[in-house]
Amino acid sequence: MEQTKVIVGLGSCGIAAGAKKVYDRIKAEMDAEGLDFELKKTSCIGMCYREPLVEIIDENGSYLYGDIDEKRAVEIIQKHVSQHNPVKDYVVQTELFETSDNDFVKPQVKIVLRNCGYIDPEKIEDYEARSGYRAIRKIAAERIARLDVIQTVINSGLRGRGGGGFPTGLKWKFANDNKADEKFIICNADEGDPGAFMDRSVLEGDPHSVLEGMIIGAYAIEATGGVIYCRAEYPLAIKRLNIAIEQAREKGYLGKNILGVEGFNFDIYIKEGAGAFVCGEETALIASVEGLRGMPRKRPPFPAASGLWKKPTNINNVETFANIPWIILNGAEEYAKYGTDRSKGTKVFALAGKIKRSGLVEVPMGISIRDVIFKLGGGIQEDKKFKAVQMGGPSGGCIPDSLSDTIVDYDSVNATGAIMGSGGMVVMDEATCMVDVAKFFLDFTRKESCGKCTFCRMGTTRMLEILTRITEGKGEEGDIQKLEELAYEIKDNSLCGLGQTAPNPVLTTIRYFRDEYEAHIRDKKCPAKVCKSLLTYEVIPDKCTGCTLCAINCPVDAIDGERKGIHFIRQEDCIKCGMCFTKCKFDAILTY
Amino acid sequence: MRIERINIEEIKDVREGVDLALLDPLIEKFRDKKGKMIPLLQGTQDIYGYIPREAFEKISGETGLKLSDMFGVATFYAQFRMNPVGKHIVKVCHGTACHVQNANSITEAMQEALGIDDGETTEDGMFTLESVACLGCCSLAPVMMIGDDTFGKLTGTQAIRIIKEIRKKELKQNQPD
Ligand SMILES: Cc1cc2nc3c(=O)[nH]c(=O)nc-3n(C[C@H](O)[C@H](O)[C@H](O)COP(=O)(O)O)c2cc1C
Ligand code: SF4
Ligand code: SF4
Ligand code: FES
């Protein structure tokens, strides 16, 4: 009989939820009781909402346990491993019986995430055991021609997963067409969209798949050097990438005459970003790798002609690279079976916000947004009403409930005014104020603008001023038009994608939630009760216990009342700071 | 916009206690490398927690990098600090997911618990409070990070408790009985 395996998910999210303690506890239990099982580590399994996760694989199959704390960890080890008696109540996913979360897994097709949650990312053997490095071995062994590799990628229909959606094979072809003594291949791991985390999960969970994708790319375009530009906020990803690169060098997947192919020399190093969203833009990224301020420049020349150190350079996203080995091994046709006419394959989405099951899902292109949110995501927290989903981050937009039958592919999402972006889906419910969301993104892009173009630099500042005014109850008639005019000017007069797309969050919220803007401007009300200065605060007499907490904390002494007596807010003095609402322990402050 | 970060007046001149010899191995490592500026600045910040004025001058003198270029780069990227920071840096995430899950209340709680504003350091030099964009743990929003530890699904009260515990630990370390 095969030895029982116990696998603990130790991605950033798992560790934040306490998975390290769970791992240590299981290890201690194993040593103390002298138990015979194999204890393994893996990274993000995708079900972040159930972290910490522990998977037990015994002779019957796999059981994924969720919400495991130290106490439960001991319980499942004792009952399941020692007494062969699975604790069904804690099992969130298995093929052996119905569980609460099986439908989170069923609709998924795992190509990019094929190894995430299955392997120990710090062990190259684990990756190799699941067909890892077999694609590059095949290319080397059969001496597949470079143009054929590129053609396979073209035929697969793979489009860049970093946001733009440019056909990857074509990009490689351009880079290959430009001959030079030195060429570079860069992996864009800057993942700047706040609210997206799939690149992090892939890097932490399966770093070798990204390396192999880059090595195949290097073979195809004859690149001599590789760079992974990774944001510094991802220390665990950087650590695991470093380990992976070291292992790949030892095994001869990186270095000189790779896998016996004469003249195939390629190595990769990591460049840590220094915190600037605009460095996700390819020309800014290149400037940053060169050690300069990360400011975009005019294209052409495109990086494929003149990029890093003025050499031909090919830049792709993490997820794009992770697809490549699978495509080479399984063939372009197999990949193109998934998806829609113009968007092939699968896409990883990071579900977050007011959704029940937040985490990572990989689904075939063409699935509807509704299915992603309600079938996989389990719907809205506390069963509140779904309002909108934000896609594409600061460059994207909010897609309202009424359009949730939109399917996910590049063209359909674009038609709504949002963009596919990198795959972040931040779900919003009725308690989210859309004007506030628009303001949030504008504030972000304004801060992140590199300052080169006047419209991007000043235009976003002016738009933010107007939005701030609206959320503070000082909105004026005509503000919506002003926002729209500014938005189109900024889109038309900015050099790079940051400026060109910065107004999208405002434009889409105006398009779909105009009444909310109007309520702020005309009625001075925030329907979602988010914008504090538009709320009225009142004490509910029945609930007030006279604890005096609100009166003590009111910064302007606008609350009257004696200890044990009902309190009262003098509206004429209230500055609407919301302090009383936050402080009251008896929910006795009413807002409307 | 990024140019807003350039504000020379704000940079305090803290001359005492900067041991410049610590920079030597770093400078040696990158002296002849292409694109060395950012790694040099990152390495300097790793050593001192910020980039002291003297470090700029020394690196410039020894590598030939122009002071103006270095300053330009250091002010462009959010990562670089020109002033000393507290022992513990409290990074409260204000990414999209955390924003819609009320990250503001976490920052407010921290401001109250620490008695400082965003971007400031407590007088005892123990804590610095910062807002950051997305720590990549959006499924656990709202999130904050102290040192290498990430804390998720926070409430203001929990966040305050975490600070209290760090304070307690620090006190213990400082008064061995
Ligand atoms: C402001 C801005 C930020 C960007 N941020 C990222 C990013 O964080 N990650 C990424 O892969 N691409 C990002 N991109 C897209 C890249 O410029 C580039 O298109 C992409 O890395 C190409 O890879 P792909 O073809 O595989 O998608 C960004 C673009 C702009 C304009
Ligand atoms: S559009 Fe904005 S971020 Fe892009 S180059 Fe111009 S100023 Fe810089
Ligand atoms: S909202 Fe602020 S100012 Fe108004 S009564 Fe409450 S605590 Fe006082
Ligand atoms: S938005 Fe806070 S961790 Fe991503």
Side-chain angles (χ1 to χ4, degrees):
Chain A
M1 190 183 77
E2 253 202 57
Q3 202 184 21
T4 303
K5 280 194 191 125
V6 177
I7 308 170
V8 184
L10 289 164
S12 279
C13 38
I15 294 173
K20 187 78 185 55
K21 282 191 197 133
V22 169
Y23 180 88
D24 293 341
R25 190 76 189 93
I26 296 179
K27 182 92 178 57
E29 187 71 13
M30 178 171 153
D31 295 343
E33 304 287 322
L35 294 172
D36 174 38
F37 61 86
E38 190 186 359
L39 180 58
K40 286 182 66 91
K41 296 176 189 174
T42 189
S43 193
C44 183
I45 301 172
M47 275 194 193
C48 308
Y49 62 103
R50 288 287 197 192
E51 296 278 12
L53 292 161
V54 177
E55 186 184 7
I56 297 185
I57 304 177
D58 65 13
E59 67 276 11
N60 297 319
S62 145
Y63 305 73
L64 186 64
Y65 287 97
D67 300 316
I68 297 301
D69 53 15
E70 289 180 65
K71 194 163 142 254
R72 284 182 170 192
V74 176
E75 188 181 338
I76 59 173
I77 293 299
Q78 283 173 352
K79 292 203 179 135
H80 191 157
V81 180
S82 306
Q83 300 158 17
H84 302 279
N85 194 3
V87 193
K88 285 195 176 177
D89 284 352
Y90 304 158
V91 176
V92 290
Q93 202 266 315
T94 177
E95 286 178 2
L96 301 167
F97 47 88
E98 268 312 304
T99 66
S100 54
D101 295 22
N102 276 357
D103 48 346
F104 181 77
V105 180
K106 264 190 209 144
Q108 298 199 43
V109 176
K110 301 215 172 185
I111 292 178
V112 172
L113 303 178
R114 60 192 178 277
N115 296 321
C116 286
Y118 298 102
I119 63 169
D120 181 341
E122 300 186 8
K123 296 210 165 92
I124 193 170
E125 299 77 21
D126 277 26
Y127 178 67
E128 287 177 321
R130 290 179 65 93
S131 305
Y133 289 113
R134 218 181 277 167
I136 186 66
R137 279 183 180 283
K138 179 177 163 181
I139 291 173
E142 297 172 19
R143 294 291 194 275
I144 300 179
R146 286 186 285 110
L147 285 178
D148 290 342
V149 174
I150 295 175
Q151 196 57 46
T152 304
V153 179
I154 293 179
N155 293 349
S156 73
L158 174 65
R159 292 170 67 172
R161 300 294 191 237
F166 192 83
T168 306
L170 271 188
K171 208 186 229 182
W172 287 17
K173 191 166 172 300
F174 295 145
N176 182 51
D177 288 345
N178 291 307
K179 301 294 165 200
D181 54 338
E182 261 187 310
K183 281 194 203 177
F184 295 101
I185 199 150
I186 298 180
C187 173
N188 190 341
D190 199 37
E191 191 152 79
D193 169 5
F197 53 91
M198 51 267 137
D199 291 352
R200 174 186 66 75
S201 296
V202 174
L203 294 170
E204 284 178 5
D206 193 13
H208 285 289
S209 69
V210 179
L211 296 188
E212 189 178 359
M214 289 179 75
I215 297 168
I216 294 170
Y219 175 87
I221 69 161
E222 289 188 288
T224 46
V227 180
I228 301 176
Y229 188 88
C230 186
R231 59 194 297 240
E233 285 87 343
Y234 291 173
L236 189 61
I238 292 173
K239 181 184 149 212
R240 289 186 179 159
L241 273 173
N242 270 318
I243 296 174
I245 291 174
E246 205 45 59
Q247 292 170 339
R249 279 189 195 133
E250 273 168 29
K251 290 247 180 177
Y253 297 120
L254 288 173
K256 294 234 148 48
N257 302 321
I258 294 168
L259 298 173
V261 180
E262 198 62 37
F264 179 21
N265 306 330
F266 180 67
D267 207 349
I268 298 177
Y269 74 97
I270 299 173
K271 189 88 191 175
E272 269 183 56
F277 172 66
V278 69
C279 286
E281 196 280 337
E282 42 190 34
T283 57
L285 188 152
I286 289 170
S288 181
V289 175
E290 290 175 353
L292 308 173
R293 291 164 69 100
M295 297 180 63
R297 63 157 174 78
K298 211 172 88 210
R299 295 175 303 180
F302 285 91
S306 172
L308 185 58
W309 311 117
K310 301 227 166 3
K311 303 287 181 190
T313 301
N314 179 78
I315 303 186
N316 280 120
N317 164 264
V318 170
E319 196 184 324
T320 312
F321 279 124
N323 272 302
I324 299 286
W326 194 97
I327 292 173
I328 299 293
L329 266 189
N330 298 277
E333 294 70 32
E334 200 58 32
Y335 190 78
K337 265 191 200 159
Y338 299 104
T340 60
D341 207 20
R342 299 195 47 214
S343 304
K344 298 294 183 198
T346 58
K347 177 79 194 87
V348 183
F349 288 101
L351 304 180
K354 308 271 179 87
I355 192 163
K356 278 192 187 147
R357 300 176 183 154
S358 50
L360 277 194
V361 296
E362 182 172 0
V363 288
M365 296 269 195
I367 188 172
S368 73
I369 291 176
R370 187 188 302 281
D371 281 351
V372 174
I373 293 173
F374 287 92
K375 281 214 181 114
L376 285 103
I380 310 301
Q381 284 173 2
E382 298 167 25
D383 290 318
K384 285 197 182 152
K385 198 171 162 334
F386 170 51
K387 187 166 182 180
V389 56
Q390 212 287 340
M391 281 181 76
S395 312
C398 294
I399 301 174
D401 183 19
S402 58
L403 290 182
S404 57
D405 286 321
T406 307
I407 57 167
V408 287
D409 72 9
Y410 290 95
D411 309 297
S412 311
V413 175
N414 282 349
T416 66
I419 60 163
M420 182 86 99
S422 51
M425 278 197 186
V426 181
V427 175
M428 299 167 181
D429 66 5
E430 54 202 355
T432 317
C433 167
M434 302 317 276
V435 186
D436 176 71
V437 168
K439 186 180 111 189
F440 165 80
F441 281 114
L442 247 278
D443 183 45
F444 180 85
T445 34
R446 186 194 70 93
K447 283 190 196 132
E448 296 297 332
S449 163
C450 83
K452 194 170 190 166
C453 316
T454 317
F455 274 90
C456 173
R457 184 179 74 234
M458 297 314 295
T460 53
T461 309
R462 291 290 98 82
M463 281 181 85
L464 180 65
E465 281 166 8
I466 298 177
L467 287 166
T468 307
R469 177 163 96 207
I470 295 177
T471 55
E472 285 173 350
K474 298 175 199 138
E476 300 159 8
E477 280 309 316
D479 272 352
I480 297 181
Q481 288 87 312
K482 272 189 208 144
L483 283 173
E484 284 175 330
E485 277 165 32
L486 270 168
Y488 289 111
E489 293 291 343
I490 295 171
K491 278 167 105 51
D492 288 346
N493 296 298
S494 293
L495 174 65
C496 86
L498 189 146
Q500 288 160 5
T501 59
N504 287 353
V506 181
L507 287 175
T508 52
T509 47
I510 292 181
R511 182 157 153 198
Y512 300 119
F513 300 95
R514 200 181 187 94
D515 52 332
E516 246 180 81
Y517 278 83
E518 283 168 352
H520 281 76
I521 297 171
R522 293 201 188 126
D523 315 334
K524 312 290 177 211
K525 281 284 161 212
C526 174
K529 297 193 197 174
V530 171
C531 303
K532 276 188 190 160
S533 20
L534 297 183
L535 296 179
T536 306
Y537 296 84
E538 243 171 46
V539 177
I540 308 169
D542 287 354
K543 288 194 176 168
C544 178
T545 61
C547 75
T548 72
L549 212 54
C550 59
I552 294 169
N553 282 287
C554 175
V556 290
D557 286 330
I559 307 180
D560 293 332
E562 311 212 324
R563 175 163 283 283
K564 301 222 168 105
I566 291 168
H567 282 54
F568 174 78
I569 299 176
R570 292 190 316 277
Q571 295 302 332
E572 64 278 15
D573 293 327
C574 171
I575 56 165
K576 305 175 193 274
C577 69
M579 201 51 131
C580 48
F581 181 80
T582 323
K583 288 288 165 186
C584 182
K585 292 199 170 88
F586 306 97
D587 292 330
I589 307 285
L590 171 76
T591 56
Y592 60 90
Chain B
M1 68 225 85
R2 311 211 73 84
I3 49 174
E4 244 173 25
R5 305 188 53 224
I6 307 177
N7 189 343
I8 299 175
E9 270 90 355
E10 269 180 22
I11 297 172
K12 294 174 205 143
D13 213 4
V14 211
R15 294 226 163 225
E16 322 106 58
V18 177
D19 179 5
L20 288 176
L22 294 173
L23 281 175
D24 292 333
L26 183 74
I27 294 176
E28 267 338 293
K29 185 169 166 204
F30 288 103
R31 191 186 292 281
D32 302 316
K33 294 251 169 76
K34 278 206 275 188
K36 57 181 167 263
M37 177 130 49
I38 293 176
L40 275 171
L41 293 173
Q42 283 171 331
T44 309
Q45 182 153 303
D46 281 346
I47 297 173
Y48 305 106
Y50 72 109
I51 309 178
R53 191 192 183 105
E54 300 85 326
F56 275 111
E57 287 162 359
K58 173 164 167 140
I59 295 173
S60 167
E62 295 204 13
T63 62
L65 288 171
K66 285 204 201 87
L67 258 184
S68 57
D69 287 344
M70 288 176 64
F71 200 65
V73 166
T75 48
F76 184 85
Y77 294 100
Q79 184 188 26
F80 298 120
R81 303 189 189 87
M82 257 60 78
N83 284 317
V85 282
K87 185 167 171 194
H88 303 279
I89 301 176
V90 182
K91 296 182 182 168
V92 181
C93 177
H94 284 264
T96 319
C98 291
H99 181 78
V100 301
Q101 300 281 33
N102 208 358
N104 281 340
S105 70
I106 309 295
T107 294
E108 278 164 20
M110 288 293 95
Q111 284 169 338
E112 199 181 311
L114 299 170
I116 49 175
D117 258 343
D118 211 21
E120 292 182 351
T121 302
T122 52
E123 247 169 49
D124 59 2
M126 204 55 88
F127 296 97
T128 298
L129 183 60
E130 278 185 356
S131 293
V132 295
C134 198
L135 295 164
C137 297
C138 318
S139 48
L140 301 174
V143 176
M144 78 175 179
M145 195 170 174
I146 304 181
D148 281 339
D149 294 327
T150 311
F151 305 90
K153 294 190 182 161
L154 284 173
T155 62
T157 330
Q158 281 169 344
I160 292 173
R161 204 177 304 139
I162 292 166
I163 296 293
K164 277 190 184 147
E165 265 167 36
I166 297 178
R167 278 227 171 94
K168 228 191 274 164
K169 259 191 222 151
E170 288 289 343
L171 269 181
K172 248 192 212 151
Q173 272 173 18
N174 290 342
Q175 315 170 319
D177 41 5

